[in-house]
């Protein structure tokens, strides 16, 4: 399909955008003025660059309306659109960029996604987060939370973990098959910084395609699949929290994650586990936290 030639921007009113920005009143906060000013400038530049038509603008309005109309307490379509466009992953990179004087890096962060719950219960180390029937492979996951600077163990850190079941759905998406807080739990590290738990080897799944995110993916000729992953949120009062996802190294969607969340150091290796009657696979995953100061 042929594209329009880049327009000569000077033939449009050169003062219009600045007039819109200057319309903000004196009570607008400095950061609000900076963020909205940049947003207005880039949106206006985009409209001029592609010579957006009235029909195309209205199509965008209807699309945004549909995003809000399909969203509810269990479905955040606006966040999903941000994920499909790579925006949440980019914001995560911006916010968590950390310069160090060595070649080492702390445990990487990545996007939270729309499925975290504040209601996950605390469980004892060695407990299982598997509460409902499934067709997955039970895995023993364990590791140590350590100080990035000293490499000493961090006792009392909270490891909050959640994942989809073997059918690719989270508990609140799937009340017919899963009880509340299935495949969710918080674990507190012991005096040696150790945590351990039983979970499932994760399963790839598709983003819902029955709403605007599906329309957008179809327009861009992209698949909706997420690689298999386990969500983690790790925190301690004295350290900067880390929110990430870890991915099995043999997953077919690592290179084409539809929300662009995969990072090299978040790819992990599940290995055969012997001598454990409760699990067939094992995963060792250590976490490095950066001190708040």
């Amino acid at each position: 399909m042929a594209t329009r030639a880049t327009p000569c921007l000077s033939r449009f009113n050169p003062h219009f955008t600045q007039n819109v920005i200057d319309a903000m009143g004196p009570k607008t906060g400095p950061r609000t003025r900076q963020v909205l000013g940049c947003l207005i400038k880039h949106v206006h530049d985009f409209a001029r660059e592609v010579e957006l038509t009235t029909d195309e603008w209205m199509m965008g309005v209807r699309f945004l309306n549909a995003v809000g109309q399909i969203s509810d307490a269990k479905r955040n379509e606006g966040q999903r659109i941000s994920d499909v466009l790579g925006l949440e992953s980019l914001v995560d990179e911006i916010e968590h960029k950390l310069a160090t004087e060595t070649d080492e890096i702390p445990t990487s962060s990545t996007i939270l996604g729309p499925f975290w719950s504040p209601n996950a219960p605390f469980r004892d180390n060695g407990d299982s987060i598997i509460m409902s029937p499934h067709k997955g492979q039970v895995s023993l996951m364990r590791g140590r939370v350590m100080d990035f600077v000293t490499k000493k163990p961090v006792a009392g850190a909270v490891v909050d973990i959640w994942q989809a079941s073997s059918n690719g759905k989270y508990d609140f998406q799937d009340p017919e098959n899963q009880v509340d807080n299935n495949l969710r739990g918080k674990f507190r590290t012991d005096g040696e910084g150790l945590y351990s738990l039983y979970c499932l080897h994760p399963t790839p799944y598709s983003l819902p395609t029955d709403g605007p995110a599906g329309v957008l993916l179809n327009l861009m000729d992209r698949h909706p699949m997420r690689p298999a992953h386990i969500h983690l949120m790790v925190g301690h009062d004295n350290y900067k929290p880390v929110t990430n996802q870890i991915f099995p190294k043999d997953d077919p969607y690592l290179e084409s994650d539809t929300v662009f969340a995969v990072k090299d150091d978040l790819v992990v290796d599940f290995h055969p586990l012997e001598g454990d009657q409760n699990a067939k696979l094992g995963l060792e995953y250590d976490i490095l936290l950066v001190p708040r100061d």
Side-chain angles (χ1 to χ4, degrees), residues 189-218:
T189 58
D190 65 14
E192 298 299 317
L194 295 169
Y195 72 94
S196 64
L197 58 102
Y198 290 96
C199 61
L200 294 180
H201 184 288
T203 302
Y205 63 80
S206 170
L207 294 185
T209 57
D210 58 340
V215 172
L216 187 59
L217 287 167
N218 187 60

Side-chain angles (χ1 to χ4, degrees), residues 63-98:
F63 184 83
L64 291 177
N65 287 342
V67 171
Q69 289 161 357
I70 202 171
S71 297
D72 57 28
K74 294 183 178 180
R75 178 168 184 167
N76 189 335
E77 195 75 0
Q79 186 171 8
R80 189 166 287 124
I81 293 295
S82 290
D83 290 346
V84 168
L85 294 175
L87 181 58
E88 187 176 2
S89 288
L90 177 58
V91 170
D92 172 77
E93 178 190 1
I94 293 168
E95 187 168 10
H96 293 91
K97 189 71 174 176
L98 179 71

Side-chain angles (χ1 to χ4, degrees), residues 49-209:
E49 182 177 346
V50 301
E51 293 188 336
L52 197 67
T53 68
T54 300
D55 287 344
E56 290 166 340
W57 162 74
M58 184 50 68
M59 188 184 305
V61 170
R62 294 194 201 96
F63 184 83
L64 291 177
N65 287 342
V67 171
Q69 289 161 357
I70 202 171
S71 297
D72 57 28
K74 294 183 178 180
R75 178 168 184 167
N76 189 335
E77 195 75 0
Q79 186 171 8
R80 189 166 287 124
I81 293 295
S82 290
D83 290 346
V84 168
L85 294 175
L87 181 58
E88 187 176 2
S89 288
L90 177 58
V91 170
D92 172 77
E93 178 190 1
I94 293 168
E95 187 168 10
H96 293 91
K97 189 71 174 176
L98 179 71
T100 68
E101 296 179 354
T102 71
D103 291 333
E104 295 180 284
I105 58 173
T107 298
S108 287
S109 63
T110 190
I111 65 175
L112 173 65
F115 299 117
W116 175 75
S117 169
N119 302 319
F122 273 95
R123 307 185 192 275
D124 293 332
N125 274 324
D127 280 356
S128 175
I129 62 173
I130 306 167
M131 303 288 110
S132 298
H134 62 88
K135 296 181 180 179
Q137 295 176 288
V138 178
S139 303
L140 173 61
M141 179 177 171
R142 56 194 172 187
R144 177 177 273 114
V145 178
M146 295 178 292
D147 185 301
F148 170 67
V149 178
T150 67
K151 303 303 185 289
K152 293 181 179 180
V154 178
V158 175
V159 179
D160 188 351
I161 182 170
W162 66 102
Q163 64 177 143
S165 190
S166 53
N167 63 359
K169 295 182 179 180
Y170 293 83
D171 54 354
F172 60 81
Q173 295 176 303
D174 192 30
E176 298 84 3
N177 300 299
Q178 300 183 53
V179 298
D180 286 346
N181 291 316
N182 181 47
L183 296 170
R184 298 181 186 273
K186 297 187 182 83
F187 297 82
R188 200 178 297 276
T189 58
D190 65 14
E192 298 299 317
L194 295 169
Y195 72 94
S196 64
L197 58 102
Y198 290 96
C199 61
L200 294 180
H201 184 288
T203 302
Y205 63 80
S206 170
L207 294 185
T209 57

